[in-house]
Amino acid sequence: MEIATLLAGAMLVSLAVIWLVGRLPGPAPSQAELPAAPECHFLFRGATLIDHDAGVLWPDDSNAPNDDWSRFRSWLGFRFGDLPVDPLSITTGESLTFDSTLPDDPARLELHASAHSLRATLQEGGPSCPAHLHEGRRRLMVLDVPRAALHAAPQPVWIHGTSGHLIWQNDAARAFRPESIARMTAALSPLPEPTEARTQRVSVPDANGNAPDRWFDLTVTRTQAGHAFYACDVSALVSAETAQRDFVQTLGRTFADLPTGLAVFDHAKSLALFNPALIDLTGLPVGFLSARPNVMSFFDMLRDAQVMPEPKNYANWRSQINDMVSAARGGLYQDYWSLVSGQTYRITGRPHPNGAVAFLFEDITPEISEARNHRTEMDLRQAVIDDLDAAIAVLSPDHRLIFCNAGFGALLGIDPDSSIAEATLRDIIAACQARFPQTNAWPGLERKIATGAAATQSITLADGAGRLDLRHTPLGRGNTMLSLCHHAAEGAALMHEHTG
């Protein structure tokens, strides 16, 4: 009984030891026991693929090169750089090794040439354990969304590897001819260094020459895989800028021969357009105007050149300029500048679309001089007729008083300066009848003047004051001169007495 009990206990201890041994970690497997790094092989005869053990080959691409070797180079180029263009350039027995150019990528490509073929062996750097394969598939899945977005983007995008060859492009880039992509790529040479970017506007001619060139703002950046190019179509913008530039040039040619100076300021208050007359009138340097000064600098320069009146209060002058621009934007500004040179300028501000404003500078010195001369002549003529003994009035075709001399106003007791705009022939007849009621010459005067014939009649004054000659004379264009003067015989007698 005791022996059986001891045997049973020994068996339990043995089982426990075996169980514990099974739970303890065993020694690490040797390097030889690890699964070999995955690799696949491609056998070429010349540029033709004759055999391979790869599960998949390069995807079908309509823009890919024609022969198998060129497609093989393009497929592997983003990892292994620029492979030999001609497989026959590798001599028999020669082996070439290419390590991946991507960071943290231990892959390797070996090329070995024999007498009749070329073997390419692609080796991945680690065992193909399920976790690694799953992580690779997960990363591909994560990249599918941005990759699909890049492929469907309307802007062309392509990437050149570190050796300068094309390794990827989206659908929009594939729509271009290869020479167009090469033209845009060459326009940014030399390519920028890492952390740098460069943008340049380039044109791409139409394939058939039947349409205008297309314009792109091309940006290139340096990435781990190489240089990424992004092309943004700005053809519509270039067309608009060209149309605007042509329009401005047309305006410039249109306004070039105008005697009126023109200064157009855009919405930012910078000088956008001026014509030669502005230079002639202001004397401002062409370089200053071409530099597109703002409104304040422009009028500051006019003040310094004494082309505008000196402000009485310089502290308030700048605010007045702002008020002037605001008034011009509302279409309300006009002023006259009398300069120290004796010239007179008329300044007009007019609004333009989008907040722009235009100022017109006109030299109205001849007009002012002519107006002054005309005023002087009128004053002289008025002085002459005021000095005449006869009372004279001139009537318009509709029988309104145009002007009269001082004698006429004194004779009839009216003030021509205050009532000339309203006086008519009937008003004059009423005044004459009130002044000289003893005659019956007034009722028929209007009818006689209407005949257009010249006539003279004598009016006897009361109390032996003598007689007046009433005369109406047509002056042409329907105007009539009406005069009242002393009778000619009495005037001759007075003249005889004066000379005797």
Side-chain angles (χ1 to χ4, degrees):
M1 184 70 177
E2 293 179 355
I3 295 174
T5 302
L6 292 172
L7 289 174
M11 290 179 63
L12 290 173
V13 171
S14 299
L15 290 173
V17 170
I18 293 173
W19 181 82
L20 289 172
V21 170
R23 295 288 295 175
L24 294 175
S30 64
Q31 190 69 20
E33 294 174 340
L34 289 175
E39 62 181 30
C40 54
H41 307 83
F42 304 84
L43 189 63
F44 290 87
R45 180 169 296 159
T48 303
L49 179 68
I50 60 175
D51 195 9
H52 70 90
D53 60 2
V56 294
L57 291 177
W58 42 86
D60 184 20
D61 190 344
S62 59
N63 287 338
N66 295 326
D67 59 84
D68 294 334
W69 175 254
S70 297
R71 288 191 289 270
F72 181 73
R73 289 179 67 250
S74 176
W75 183 50
L76 295 177
F78 78 99
R79 294 178 77 187
F80 298 103
D82 198 4
L83 302 179
V85 176
D86 185 3
L88 298 179
S89 64
I90 306 175
T91 58
T92 301
E94 182 181 3
S95 295
L96 301 177
T97 301
F98 299 87
D99 293 324
S100 175
T101 59
L102 301 180
D104 301 325
D105 184 5
R108 174 176 294 180
L109 179 68
E110 294 182 353
L111 302 179
H112 178 74
S114 62
H116 303 290
S117 63
L118 174 67
R119 178 182 297 274
T121 303
L122 176 62
Q123 299 177 348
E124 293 296 338
S128 56
C129 70
H132 288 171
L133 294 176
H134 172 77
E135 177 62 15
R137 290 190 176 95
R138 187 194 70 81
R139 292 183 180 183
L140 288 176
M141 184 274 297
V142 171
L143 292 176
D144 276 344
V145 173
R147 182 175 59 186
L150 281 175
H151 270 293
Q155 291 82 14
V157 181
W158 66 96
I159 300 176
H160 278 202
T162 54
S163 59
H165 59 285
L166 181 67
I167 61 175
W168 182 87
Q169 59 183 346
N170 69 350
D171 295 339
R174 288 192 181 95
F176 283 86
R177 296 179 300 165
E179 53 267 30
S180 297
I181 295 294
R183 176 190 178 97
M184 288 191 284
T185 303
L188 289 176
S189 183
L191 298 178
E193 298 298 325
T195 71
E196 293 182 1
R198 185 181 304 132
T199 300
Q200 183 173 331
R201 183 165 294 180
V202 298
S203 63
V204 177
D206 176 57
N208 301 320
N210 299 326
D213 292 354
R214 296 180 64 184
W215 287 86
F216 294 87
D217 279 347
L218 185 61
T219 302
V220 59
T221 59
R222 179 73 178 269
T223 66
Q224 292 181 347
H227 289 91
F229 296 83
Y230 308 88
C232 180
D233 193 337
V234 292
S235 300
L237 177 61
V238 171
S239 298
E241 291 175 347
T242 302
Q244 182 183 23
R245 184 169 54 252
D246 293 343
F247 178 68
V248 171
Q249 290 176 353
T250 301
L251 285 180
R253 289 191 294 267
T254 301
F255 297 136
D257 297 329
L258 289 181
T260 301
L262 177 66
V264 180
F265 294 88
D266 58 22
H267 66 281
K269 297 183 180 179
S270 296
L271 183 62
L273 177 67
F274 64 93
N275 65 343
L278 183 70
I279 301 173
D280 297 336
L281 292 174
T282 64
L284 296 181
V286 177
F288 170 76
L289 297 175
S290 300
R292 303 189 61 189
N294 58 32
V295 173
M296 202 62 66
S297 299
F298 176 79
F299 283 99
D300 269 335
M301 184 66 77
L302 288 181
R303 173 183 172 273
D304 294 340
Q306 295 185 335
V307 185
M308 67 178 298
E310 180 68 23
K312 296 180 180 179
N313 189 339
Y314 187 78
N316 296 332
W317 180 72
R318 285 181 170 267
S319 62
Q320 292 172 3
I321 292 296
N322 289 328
D323 294 342
M324 180 178 66
V325 174
S326 300
R329 284 179 174 171
L332 304 174
Y333 181 77
Q334 189 174 74
D335 196 8
Y336 295 88
W337 291 353
S338 296
L339 308 183
V340 294
S341 61
Q343 294 175 290
T344 302
Y345 286 177
R346 178 168 55 210
I347 313 301
T348 306
R350 297 192 179 276
H352 277 243
N354 301 322
V357 61
F359 286 97
L360 305 176
F361 293 76
E362 300 175 83
D363 186 357
I364 60 172
T365 305
E367 299 176 24
I368 297 297
S369 299
E370 184 178 353
R372 289 172 180 170
N373 293 336
H374 179 70
R375 182 63 182 176
T376 301
E377 291 177 2
M378 291 298 295
D379 291 343
L380 178 61
R381 291 176 184 176
Q382 188 69 40
V384 170
I385 65 173
D386 284 344
D387 195 53
L388 294 176
D389 293 333
I392 296 175
V394 177
L395 304 174
S396 65
D398 59 352
H399 294 173
R400 292 186 176 275
L401 180 63
I402 299 176
F403 69 89
C404 65
N405 66 351
F408 192 88
L411 184 64
L412 299 182
I414 62 174
D415 183 6
D417 291 335
S418 61
S419 59
I420 188 172
E422 302 295 334
T424 64
L425 176 58
R426 291 185 179 181
D427 297 328
I428 294 173
I429 291 175
C432 290
Q433 195 165 11
R435 179 70 173 84
F436 307 109
Q438 63 274 17
T439 179
N440 58 0
W442 310 117
L445 181 60
E446 183 175 4
R447 178 178 51 81
K448 292 177 181 179
I449 291 177
T451 63
T456 302
Q457 56 184 317
S458 203
I459 300 174
T460 302
L461 303 180
D463 303 329
R467 289 182 299 170
L468 292 176
D469 286 337
L470 173 61
R471 180 181 303 163
H472 52 88
T473 306
L475 300 179
R477 296 185 180 181
N479 298 312
T480 303
M481 183 179 72
L482 185 65
S483 66
L484 286 169
C485 61
H486 289 285
H487 186 63
E490 297 175 359
L494 292 174
M495 179 65 68
H496 176 74
E497 294 176 2
H498 179 73
T499 56

